[in-house]
Amino acid sequence: MTIVYDRVALIGLGLIASSMHWAIKRAGLAGEVTGYARSSETRDTAREIGLCDRVCESAIEAVKDADLVVLCVPVGAMEAVAKEIAPYLKTGATVTDVGSVKKAVIDAVAPHIPADVHFIPSHPLAGTEHSGPRSGFAELYDNRWWLIVPAEGADVAAVAKLRALCEGMGANVDEMNAEHHDLVLAVTSHTPHLIAYTMVGVADDLRRVSESEVIKYSASGFRDFTRIAASDPTMWRDVFLNNKEATLEILGRFTEELFALQRAIRTGDGEHLHDYFTHTRAIRRGIIEAGQDTDAPNFGRAPGPVKGES
Ligand code: NAP
């Protein structure tokens, strides 16, 4: 048990914050964890399940004397929260966020953070399709990547402390700049989510033709799409509105590849299809070898909580 921060404040008490709380408690990384969520319903639930040592009635109260403040709200809500808490932050404190997009969050939040407070953006690449205060669990970050996106010239000791907290929660930490982060995530998470949303939408259209057969006979490929497409609508709306450029760039490339495969199917070019699928199969193997997924049946996803990322 090594305390990294005396007091941690979690603003927003959904999946990411609640998992942080349980992971911090598991390893004894903070003296006290305070929390705040905008609705009284979420605050009451948090109190009922013992989420946070102290659930506060305002964000301002939660951040008072906090050594680390973590913004765990949807990307589109980061600026308003930062603006509200900024005058009440302790000198020398660190503010981080867990938003799935980095450049837009930095542009929105950084101008509000006082000069005597460190703003060190970050993003845990771990999640599930569930949300809310009851959805968190201590193991969410185990062996998952947590990307830290420090600005140039960021305080080295403050970055090291945040890294220690993330590692203490079980994560592997890497540093990256914001533009690169947004492009990488557009490839690995944002565009795949958009494709899943689309595929489930197409299947839903089809269902009107073939009644319930799409659901009844859905094989694991489609089931995986529906799992991803069940992710929180607010969070994902904000991701696409705030990672516009990178997502559109990757979608453009995706469309080109799709047309090439479409053409191969139409012209009966089996060699093209086989080569393509051989290549993609090797990528899947690489992910398993890197310890980022399992080749257990159903990807090890049943029956417990499902790991994903954003
Ligand atoms: P969540 O479970 O839906 O929880 C969101 C929390 O933010 C709730 O406590 C909610 O309060 C609060 N909130 C929502 N809108 C707000 C607003 N306009 N102003 C103030 N508070 C607001 O979300 P989450 O999955 O933990 O995601 C939180 C952040 O983590 C997002 O920025 C997301 O991009 C990022 N992230 C998510 C994942 C993932 O897979 N889920 C992974 C990595 C990073 P109420 O409960 O009172 O409504």
Side-chain angles (χ1 to χ4, degrees):
M1 300 257 276
T2 314
I3 289 185
V4 181
Y5 295 99
D6 286 334
R7 184 172 291 170
V8 173
L10 303 173
I11 308 301
L13 292 175
L15 168 72
I16 296 299
S18 56
S19 297
M20 283 187 75
H21 171 264
W22 301 122
I24 286 171
K25 289 293 165 188
R26 180 183 65 173
L29 302 168
E32 187 192 31
V33 179
T34 61
Y36 169 75
R38 65 177 171 168
S39 71
S40 57
E41 193 189 339
T42 298
R43 297 197 296 274
D44 288 345
T45 302
R47 290 187 186 106
E48 183 196 323
I49 63 175
L51 175 61
C52 297
D53 299 308
R54 202 154 46 84
V55 177
C56 302
E57 284 302 301
S58 73
I60 293 167
E61 190 190 334
V63 305
K64 266 190 190 151
D65 287 325
D67 303 286
L68 175 71
V69 175
V70 191
L71 307 180
C72 305
V73 297
V75 164
M78 295 279 181
E79 181 172 17
V81 173
K83 202 170 167 184
E84 185 188 358
I85 62 171
Y88 305 93
L89 295 168
K90 182 166 125 177
T91 297
T94 293
V95 172
T96 190
D97 73 284
V98 294
S100 305
V101 175
K102 293 281 53 98
K103 200 176 170 311
V105 169
I106 293 168
D107 290 348
V109 170
H112 300 288
I113 304 298
D116 60 357
V117 171
H118 309 290
F119 176 44
I120 306 169
S122 75
H123 179 201
L125 304 193
T128 75
E129 70 278 27
H130 302 296
S131 50
R134 292 185 195 273
S135 59
F137 52 102
E139 299 79 21
L140 180 66
Y141 306 115
D142 285 350
N143 200 30
R144 293 309 188 134
W145 286 104
W146 198 306
L147 301 178
I148 297 185
V149 183
E152 236 171 83
D155 186 89
V156 175
V159 173
K161 240 178 148 178
L162 183 61
R163 173 185 278 266
L165 183 88
C166 299
E167 288 175 348
M169 288 188 289
N172 305 314
V173 177
D174 246 349
E175 289 182 29
M176 208 176 260
N177 73 44
E179 286 79 7
H180 191 62
H181 167 279
D182 288 356
L183 186 63
V184 169
L185 267 291
V187 177
T188 58
S189 170
H190 304 167
T191 309
H193 270 79
L194 199 68
I195 293 164
Y197 280 124
T198 315
M199 195 56 228
V200 174
V202 168
D204 185 49
D205 272 354
L206 201 66
R207 205 178 109 199
R208 284 183 204 123
V209 181
S210 62
E211 296 301 323
S212 62
E213 285 183 322
V214 170
I215 302 295
K216 190 172 167 191
Y217 300 124
S218 70
S220 62
F222 181 68
R223 279 207 309 265
D224 262 13
F225 275 138
T226 61
R227 181 184 68 76
I228 296 169
S231 300
D232 186 68
T234 305
M235 170 184 155
W236 284 97
R237 177 202 63 194
D238 286 4
V239 165
F240 293 116
L241 293 182
N242 289 282
N243 198 15
K244 220 184 235 179
E245 268 176 42
T247 311
L248 291 177
E249 160 73 19
I250 301 305
L251 265 179
R253 290 179 188 225
F254 174 81
T255 312
E256 283 173 22
E257 298 279 311
L258 193 63
F259 279 148
L261 290 174
Q262 200 175 340
R263 189 182 151 76
I265 293 169
R266 182 178 299 116
T267 59
D269 187 350
E271 201 182 326
H272 178 92
L273 294 173
H274 193 270
D275 286 353
Y276 203 92
F277 302 155
T278 303
H279 178 63
T280 53
R281 179 183 238 187
I283 292 171
R284 168 76 194 156
R285 188 108 315 270
I287 291 170
I288 293 166
E289 278 163 18
Q292 293 300 302
D293 209 341
T294 162
D295 58 1
N298 205 20
F299 304 129
R301 280 182 183 131
V306 186
K307 286 188 177 180
E309 64 183 38
S310 70

